[in-house]
Amino acid sequence: MVSPSVPDAVQPRPSLDEVLAPGSPVDGIARRFVDSGHELYLVGGPVRDALLGRPAQDLDFATDATPEETEAMLQPLAESVWLQGAKYGTVGALLSGIHVEITTFRTEKYQPSSRHPEVTFEKSIETDLSRRDFTVNAMAIRLPDREPVDPFGGRRDVDRRVLRTPADPRDSFSDDPLRMLRAFRFASQLGFKIDREARVAIEELASLIDTVSAERIRDELSRLVVGREPASALRLADSTGLTDRFLPELSSLKLEQDPVHRHKDVFAHTLAVIERTAPELELRLAALLHDIGKPKTRTIGPDGVSFHHHEVVGARMAAERLRALRYPNEVVQEVERLIYLHHRFHTYRLGWSDSAVRRYVRDAGGELVQLNALVRADCTTRNATKAKQLAERMDELEDRISALAQREELERIRPDLDGEQVMAYLGVPPGPIVGEALAALLEVRLEEGPLGEDEAYSRLDAWARERGIEPAGDKRPAKPKKKKA
Ligand code: ATP
Ligand code: MG
């Protein structure tokens, strides 16, 4: 099956070497910390990403300084500093355009359903690293001398591309059950495997994720779906029973096997569709949920299985699920709309009138591009002829949409003067002469573009005199145009 390659980073970003180079703003901050008798380490994601050769994203640091001390050292050097996270130990700043977060060494605990941790400040980088989720995320680089700190063999695990917890996975996942979902999120994002012991622990402890707040689950699920390998991560997460706890619709899709008519497994199809879409949150969520209405709408008739109105049922179910996961309204509505409309294209082969095309465009609204992308991705058939046909039909629909848009753009073009202005200027009542004058003005408008009122009146004057009409010369300003609905 073809799956479009997913770009790792959209914009070019500086490498970590550049970011930490002597004389760089980060180097300046590090020297300030050390000169004040403090320690500063680059930690977590950026260290891992540097080993993977992935460009530096946001930079996380750890320090023994308190948030107040950190703030005082940052203020003179940063463009802006924010303190919303200070009670959890984190001071954020913008430093030469780079987003940095400096967090006091800490360990944390999450109470059931709470979005925010209870934090204990710690004395050493080693303790801080020991509470981190995976060994590949539990490495640090001391600054400014760039001495690596890797107490749990993270470097080796990066090389092996394995996600492993620093200590016993059962303890780690019991301490913070979200880490189980983070395992699949990193599996998707980095293309790493999950260590066997960790996988077994997830199977055993999956139900603990019920105690995690919906917002925290949402944030990890979002990163998982926009990752580079969402299909294998979701397949694995499902096999451990973890996704069942907060997204039970996913595994219900496996019940759709129909051996008699050899109808495809909707679960496998869904995963294939996700990987065929660009890594954009709403589009990927729509791909993930586009067929969840199928189990409920499945009927078996003489022509085989059908899923009548599954898109309507599915759109509603998806909206409910995304709301429960506390997705913002805009995301819920966009995904709901994409799912609701994803099936309409299948009537295109029966022939769509221009008004059907217009309705499709209007109903898709701002999501037209994503909708067409979803429809294209939804075609996972192995039958090459059928796939080609569907793709060509979509090409045709897209051509018709743009032709129609252009035509209607032209149709909206009006002469520079309206009927009342023409009648007043010529001093004539309504009648064919007004229509002829307007047609002539429209001709000039199409030929030369907008003329402006003054020029339009002088063209009208010339046109009238050619026909022996002596204009009354009453120039009226155009009435304000009515706003289009
Ligand atoms: P990304 O590049 O996607 O942001 P990241 O590794 O920075 O990846 P974050 O979720 O931003 O991931 O977390 C930053 C670091 O904090 C992680 O690398 C990890 O060390 C630690 N961390 C975050 N959440 C947890 C958690 N729930 N349990 C343990 N450690 C965590
Ligand atoms: Mg991060």
Side-chain angles (χ1 to χ4, degrees), residues 43-46 48-49 54 57-58 60 108 110 131-134 136-138 172 176 178-179 182 185-186 189 216 220 223:
V43 274
R48 175 201 69 215
D49 289 346
R54 296 174 90 214
Q57 314 280 324
D58 300 344
D60 299 330
E108 71 264 73
Y110 283 87
R131 56 90 186 177
R132 291 177 184 261
D133 48 5
F134 301 104
V136 297
N137 290 341
S172 174
D176 179 6
L178 185 71
R179 291 170 185 164
R182 286 175 62 87
R185 178 273 256 210
F186 286 114
Q189 186 177 318
R216 296 185 73 215
E220 295 303 329
R223 288 177 167 133

Side-chain angles (χ1 to χ4, degrees), residues 177 180 202-212 241-242 245:
M180 298 186 282
I202 296 174
E203 278 166 23
E204 195 178 301
L205 302 173
S207 65
L208 292 183
I209 194 113
D210 298 357
T211 62
V212 175
L242 187 71
R245 310 299 308 190

